[in-house]
Amino acid sequence: MADVVTFRKEEAAGLVRVERAEPILRITLDNPPANALSIATMEALGAALDAAAADDAIRVVVLASTGKVFSAGHDLKEMTARRADADGGRAFFEKTMRMAADIMLKIAALPQPVVAEVDGLATAAGCQLVASCDLAVCTDTSAFCTPGVNIGLFCSTPMVAVSRAAHPKQAMEMLLTGETIDASTAKDFGLVNRIVPQQYLRQVVDKYAAVIASKSPQALRIGKAAFRAQAGLPLAEAYDIAVATMTDNMLVDDAKEGIGAFLGKRMPEWN
């Protein structure tokens, strides 16, 4: 049975739940109905990600949520209340945006691949969260949007992740129109990898994560870091990183074991 740990502030009712079933760690946003990324929620999520990064036994991280909304993004009520501050809320707004950006950077820097398990609406910074993950599986009733333009607030921080996950013109379409796209369109745009019926979501994601977790843990960590490092670089620079990475990878224990197992026609035993 999986161990369950809840990261929360003392005054909070839930926020983030963590289930550990080695080698897979499931982090669940547990603050329905909106799973808004309030300061407290982001603190809890950041703590869960930090713990995962430090745990060598974990090979894959799944990011899920409870309720009908994956995440509605930033807590607009929390932010609006700070307009009464002496600076009109500037310091709090900057803190909120910076914390969200740091969460996305933690996901990118996490040694383990991160799979988003999406059931419901992922909007604004919630869509940014999905786009920041390495892989995403969603239900056929899920939906995605960056609706900032509808309320006079261009989704500039979600833009960073969405424009890197989706094709440029499709990303700009989402950002300029603010319209909601369905799961099929999100897959066409490049935001998600797979679409499954709702009743099979957990089953499919668990199997998906298990397949990835069965691979060499050293190769997974090296590969994710290399993928992130070369993305967006000029071709020659990208190959420089890839050549150095492959050379270093050839020298690690798992590569010696994996190649030896392949040549010896046996199953590898990862370190």
Side-chain angles (χ1 to χ4, degrees):
M1 182 176 294
D3 295 327
V4 178
V5 179
T6 302
F7 288 88
R8 68 181 75 184
K9 296 185 70 176
E10 290 184 2
E11 68 273 16
L15 303 186
V16 172
R17 186 174 73 254
V18 175
E19 300 172 65
R20 179 192 178 94
E22 292 182 9
I24 299 167
L25 189 75
R26 175 177 290 269
I27 301 173
T28 302
L29 299 177
D30 193 18
N31 190 28
N35 289 310
L37 297 179
S38 63
I39 293 292
T41 298
M42 289 191 289
E43 286 176 346
L45 179 54
L49 291 170
D50 288 341
D55 193 336
D56 290 336
I58 299 302
R59 298 187 188 178
V60 179
V61 174
V62 174
L63 182 59
S65 67
T66 57
K68 296 181 180 180
V69 177
F70 177 80
S71 175
H74 291 299
D75 189 331
L76 295 181
K77 290 183 179 179
E78 179 180 67
M79 295 176 70
T80 298
R82 301 304 290 266
R83 290 191 183 278
D85 293 353
D87 63 352
R90 171 177 286 274
F92 186 79
F93 301 158
E94 184 175 0
K95 176 182 178 180
T96 299
M97 302 307 171
R98 184 69 257 174
M99 285 187 71
D102 287 344
I103 290 290
M104 311 307 160
L105 289 170
K106 285 178 188 287
I107 291 172
L110 208 68
Q112 304 92 338
V114 182
V115 182
E117 179 184 291
V118 184
D119 181 21
L121 178 65
T123 178
C127 187
Q128 178 186 6
L129 196 57
V130 175
S132 295
C133 293
D134 300 298
L135 301 166
V137 180
C138 74
T139 60
D140 48 14
T141 56
S142 293
F144 306 82
C145 66
T146 51
V149 289
N150 297 330
I151 57 172
L153 184 68
F154 195 84
C155 283
S156 299
T157 44
M159 171 188 69
V160 175
V162 172
S163 65
R164 282 161 170 75
H167 307 300
K169 282 184 170 57
Q170 279 78 14
M172 190 59 111
E173 178 182 332
M174 292 180 66
L175 293 160
L176 291 176
T177 67
E179 293 181 349
T180 300
I181 61 173
D182 61 17
S184 179
T185 304
K187 188 172 186 295
D188 289 342
F189 280 14
L191 281 176
V192 300
N193 299 84
R194 301 187 183 191
I195 304 170
V196 299
Q198 184 180 45
Q199 64 268 33
Y200 299 123
L201 179 62
R202 175 70 183 260
Q203 178 182 344
V204 170
V205 170
D206 284 348
K207 183 177 180 180
Y208 201 33
V211 168
I212 296 169
S214 71
K215 312 306 179 184
S216 157
Q218 289 180 327
L220 291 177
R221 291 166 184 257
I222 290 169
K224 175 174 175 175
F227 184 91
R228 295 282 183 173
Q230 64 80 36
L233 290 179
L235 193 60
E237 293 179 33
Y239 270 115
D240 286 342
I241 288 176
V243 168
T245 300
M246 285 287 283
T247 302
D248 290 341
N249 197 164
M250 280 292 293
L251 296 171
V252 304
D253 292 339
D254 275 4
K256 297 175 188 176
E257 166 62 16
I259 293 171
F262 175 77
L263 295 175
K265 298 181 179 180
R266 61 175 176 82
M267 294 299 294
E269 297 181 9
W270 307 125
N271 182 6

